[in-house]
Amino acid sequence: MNLPNLITLIRIILVPVMVIFLLAGKHGHALVVFVIAVISDGVDGFIARAFKQKTSLGAFLDPLADKLLLTTAYIILSVYHFVPVWLAVMIVSRDVIILSGLAVLSAYDRFPDIKPTIDSKITTFFQMSTVVYLLAYNHAAADSRFGAYLMLVTALMTAISGTRYIIIGFRLYDRINEESDQA
């Protein structure tokens, strides 16, 4: 196992640690854990690219770690009314749709090398920034004008990138059908 994959595994392990702090009402501690996880996401990617240590395991684990971190954070933050439930549902639904699409494609023995789109990267940035902001300023941030705008931008970017992935998924599915019709 290489260093980037080890860092990604540590990020996955940090998810339950963050949950424990959130459930205990220790938002400052949860914030520190979340920020460490966010920073580790950039670090493992940098190391993998800079030192040519990209692996298929890393390509699987890295987005999984991000989805676990963000969906868990949004679910818990919605339960505690830091974010509106609709936003948490939107973020979780987007990830479920993406994973479901990949499952459908894998049922056809297709494992597409889907690279994150620029809007997906922007979405992840806003989703992470929203969690950091809400944890840093506690519940009051959800009622602030900036917090409301940040959540709206996060929702908009989540919708845009989710739609983009749905379109990509249908194109891949159509390509599979065309290939099977020709065979």
Side-chain angles (χ1 to χ4, degrees):
M1 173 163 308
N2 65 17
L3 183 58
N5 291 347
L6 181 61
I7 293 170
T8 300
L9 286 174
I10 291 169
R11 188 162 76 252
I12 291 171
I13 292 167
L14 288 175
V15 172
V17 174
M18 178 191 67
V19 169
I20 291 167
F21 287 135
L22 284 171
L23 295 177
K26 296 183 177 186
H27 302 130
H29 291 74
L31 172 63
V32 169
V33 171
F34 187 83
V35 168
I36 290 170
V38 167
I39 291 169
S40 76
D41 184 29
V43 169
D44 67 10
F46 171 77
I47 293 171
R49 284 185 302 279
F51 297 100
K52 297 182 181 12
Q53 294 185 2
K54 290 183 180 183
T55 64
S56 56
L57 177 63
F60 172 78
L61 286 180
D62 188 66
L64 176 66
D66 290 344
K67 289 179 186 345
L68 285 172
L69 180 68
L70 287 167
T71 57
T72 302
Y74 275 94
I75 289 170
I76 292 174
L77 291 174
S78 72
V79 168
Y80 285 102
H81 307 289
F82 276 49
V83 297
V85 171
W86 64 263
L87 181 59
V89 168
M90 186 178 203
I91 289 168
V92 172
S93 296
R94 172 190 171 267
D95 289 342
V96 167
I97 289 168
I98 291 169
L99 292 173
S100 298
L102 289 172
V104 167
L105 292 172
S106 70
Y108 288 94
D109 291 327
R110 301 298 171 111
F111 302 96
D113 183 25
I114 299 176
K115 295 187 178 16
T117 60
I118 187 68
D119 50 333
S120 176
K121 290 180 181 246
I122 293 169
T123 299
T124 300
F125 170 80
F126 276 105
Q127 288 176 353
M128 290 178 173
S129 297
T130 300
V131 172
V132 168
Y133 180 76
L134 294 172
L135 288 175
Y137 293 100
N138 290 315
H139 186 64
D143 297 327
S144 74
R145 181 168 280 158
F146 180 77
Y149 288 136
L150 186 57
M151 286 187 272
L152 284 174
V153 171
T154 299
L156 178 64
M157 290 310 303
T158 300
I160 289 170
S161 71
T163 302
R164 169 83 60 101
Y165 278 119
I166 289 170
I167 291 168
I168 291 169
F170 277 117
R171 286 181 182 158
L172 288 169
Y173 181 76
D174 288 344
R175 194 175 312 139
I176 290 169
N177 282 337
E178 288 173 8
E179 289 172 5
S180 66
D181 288 344
Q182 294 173 356

